Amino acid sequence: VQLQASGGGMVQAGGSLRLSCVASGRTLNDYNVAWFRQAPGKEREFLAGIRWNALNTYYADSVKGRFTISRDNAAKNTWYLQMSMLKPEDTAVYYCAADLSLGRVSTVASEYDSWGQGTLVTVSS
């Protein structure tokens, strides 16, 4: 499966952005999807994940209550990360990723099989 992430940009603290992840090559029902981010000098960080059937979602404590992961049930090949109440520390490159194992949603980046190219989010104070 190939993933294409988009929607990043510059926003002021307290603002919102919605990131999109479009998949091609395989239907979205076949894998779990997650969003990660990586800030300069830091490791890639799990943010949110959704199971292949879209019935379960998981969030890192750092974004719980501010970020929402969802699937476009009509398009069937697009996932979103709705981000609100953004903070300067949310500045990073954001990636979507797919895990073909269909097990639990993993928070470990190395367990994901496919990655989008990343989209930069910059939050100014």
Side-chain angles (χ1 to χ4, degrees):
V1 60
Q2 293 78 45
L3 303 176
Q4 178 80 25
S6 63
M10 183 175 292
V11 64
Q12 290 189 330
S16 300
L17 278 176
R18 189 178 76 164
L19 305 183
S20 299
C21 178
V22 179
S24 60
R26 190 163 172 172
T27 65
L28 291 186
N29 287 340
D30 292 346
Y31 40 85
N32 300 337
V33 169
W35 286 93
F36 288 77
R37 69 185 177 192
Q38 189 165 19
K42 294 188 177 181
E43 293 187 354
R44 196 162 292 192
E45 174 191 13
F46 171 85
L47 300 175
I50 186 167
R51 289 206 70 197
W52 60 272
N53 56 11
L55 294 180
N56 303 97
T57 56
Y58 305 86
Y59 296 93
D61 289 342
S62 59
V63 304
K64 198 173 293 183
R66 299 190 299 123
F67 291 10
T68 302
I69 188 171
S70 62
R71 182 182 75 180
D72 187 327
N73 289 321
K76 297 287 187 183
N77 69 336
T78 303
W79 272 269
Y80 302 106
L81 184 68
Q82 178 68 48
M83 306 185 294
S84 59
M85 295 181 285
L86 284 163
K87 307 173 183 179
E89 52 263 45
D90 293 319
T91 295
V93 177
Y94 284 67
Y95 300 88
C96 57
D99 173 8
L100 306 182
S101 69
L102 296 184
R104 60 174 176 80
V105 171
S106 175
T107 63
V108 179
S110 61
E111 295 187 6
Y112 284 79
D113 304 289
S114 297
W115 290 83
Q117 83 287 3
T119 184
L120 177 62
V121 173
T122 303
V123 184
S124 61
S125 58

